[in-house]
Amino acid sequence: MQQVIQRSFFLLMLLVCPAQADDADSLFALRSHGYGFMSNLISYFDPYEKYPAPKYRTAYQSALQRLRELSPNDQVRAVAENLRELTAELEKQSLDEIQRSYPQWMNPILEQHAQLDRLATGQLAKSIEQPPGAIRKLQHLSLLNSQVLLLYQTRAVQLYAMHVDFSEDSFDLLDAQIMQAFKELRSERELWREPLGKLMRDYEFVRPQIRDGSRRSAAGGVGFYLGRVVRQLNELQE
């Protein structure tokens, strides 16, 4: 069962994002697909996995294509192109070579993803069109869960998520924001109360495993639940 979970959970990160009605929604979709790309890439090229699941590759390649399509300007487009080139070079290497020099291959991609995320965040701050308050909070909650997942993954393979505070308190800080956001959103929208309650329980179920990032045997379960949380949070925006 654990193997089945590990080989399927990141397909949930082929993110369901809202139709891009304005710049703010497009930028949220860009960030979401950025995290989906990075999570699937790390999973496919996991140095502890001898036989990576092809589904991860399909997922990260799909997300990478969406990053290029959603890039709002030349600067972001250039970073998305850098990600494409770095990924193409990575794919040329043998799995043994990648696993021997894992940080050398993955850290530049993490750095470019961090740059893309910063640019998207900065562009969002300039956006005239902003989603309604509750939708904005829902998007923020989705991204927080994506950040926790990436933080968990990078710790498990001894990398550094360049744009997530990598300190002893990093999970606690993100966790506090996630729990607060769940509580606020459940009180703001009656229609969301039940589905958000279920997603909050999913998140709470894997909190102990996330906190103990050394438990690699739990990686599939963490990814399965957090992937589902992100996907269904995005579905609520439709």
Side-chain angles (χ1 to χ4, degrees):
M1 179 62 178
Q2 180 67 22
Q3 186 178 24
V4 171
I5 290 175
Q6 288 177 328
R7 290 185 177 275
S8 64
F9 72 85
F10 277 109
L11 291 185
L12 296 174
M13 293 291 287
L14 284 170
L15 298 169
V16 179
C17 293
Q20 279 69 64
D22 55 45
D23 288 345
D25 280 342
S26 294
L27 290 165
F28 164 71
L30 178 71
R31 295 188 69 196
S32 289
H33 284 293
Y35 283 104
F37 161 74
M38 203 67 249
S39 291
N40 281 288
L41 189 78
I42 291 173
S43 185
Y44 183 75
F45 292 105
D46 187 330
Y48 300 99
E49 282 291 330
K50 188 174 182 180
Y51 303 107
K55 292 179 180 180
Y56 296 146
R57 181 174 179 141
T58 299
Y60 79 68
Q61 289 178 336
S62 175
L64 183 59
Q65 178 61 33
R66 291 295 288 140
L67 293 182
R68 299 169 70 191
E69 294 169 355
L70 289 164
S71 296
N73 55 46
D74 289 343
Q75 191 177 16
V76 176
R77 198 170 297 112
V79 177
E81 180 62 18
N82 289 343
L83 284 171
R84 186 196 67 78
E85 291 176 357
L86 288 167
T87 302
E89 190 63 28
L90 178 70
E91 291 172 335
K92 295 176 184 177
Q93 312 307 313
S94 68
L95 189 59
D96 285 344
E97 164 59 25
I98 294 169
Q99 291 179 344
R100 280 197 304 268
S101 306
Y102 196 67
Q104 173 188 329
W105 291 107
M106 297 302 295
N107 280 336
I109 300 177
L110 279 163
E111 290 171 358
Q112 287 299 304
H113 171 242
Q115 175 67 3
L116 182 139
D117 200 58
R118 284 192 293 267
L119 288 172
T121 302
Q123 189 73 20
L124 180 60
K126 302 175 185 177
S127 178
I128 297 175
E129 296 288 339
Q130 294 286 343
I135 294 295
R136 189 163 60 248
K137 289 181 182 179
L138 197 65
Q139 291 176 349
H140 182 57
L141 178 57
S142 172
L143 292 170
L144 286 172
N145 277 274
S146 293
Q147 289 175 352
V148 163
L149 178 54
L150 183 57
L151 177 64
Y152 176 80
Q153 286 182 283
T154 51
R155 280 179 163 175
V157 295
Q158 300 178 32
L159 293 171
Y160 293 90
M162 304 295 175
H163 50 313
V164 178
D165 178 26
F166 201 89
S167 69
E168 291 298 321
D169 300 326
S170 53
F171 168 70
D172 290 334
L173 295 172
L174 289 169
D175 177 66
Q177 293 181 64
I178 287 172
M179 294 305 297
Q180 182 64 29
F182 268 125
K183 292 173 183 176
E184 289 180 3
L185 282 166
R186 291 187 71 206
S187 66
E188 286 187 21
R189 292 280 183 97
E190 181 64 32
L191 187 63
W192 291 351
R193 182 180 296 273
E194 183 175 344
L196 284 177
K198 179 180 181 300
L199 295 178
M200 185 169 69
R201 290 190 293 273
D202 280 351
Y203 174 76
E204 289 176 322
F205 181 72
V206 293
R207 283 171 86 195
Q209 288 83 3
I210 299 171
R211 191 179 299 277
D212 181 9
S214 63
R215 292 176 60 182
R216 282 197 48 79
S217 61
V222 171
F224 174 80
Y225 283 100
L226 287 186
R228 183 165 70 183
V229 168
V230 171
R231 177 175 59 83
Q232 294 187 6
L233 285 172
N234 292 345
E235 288 176 345
L236 285 176
Q237 299 171 48
E238 297 180 332

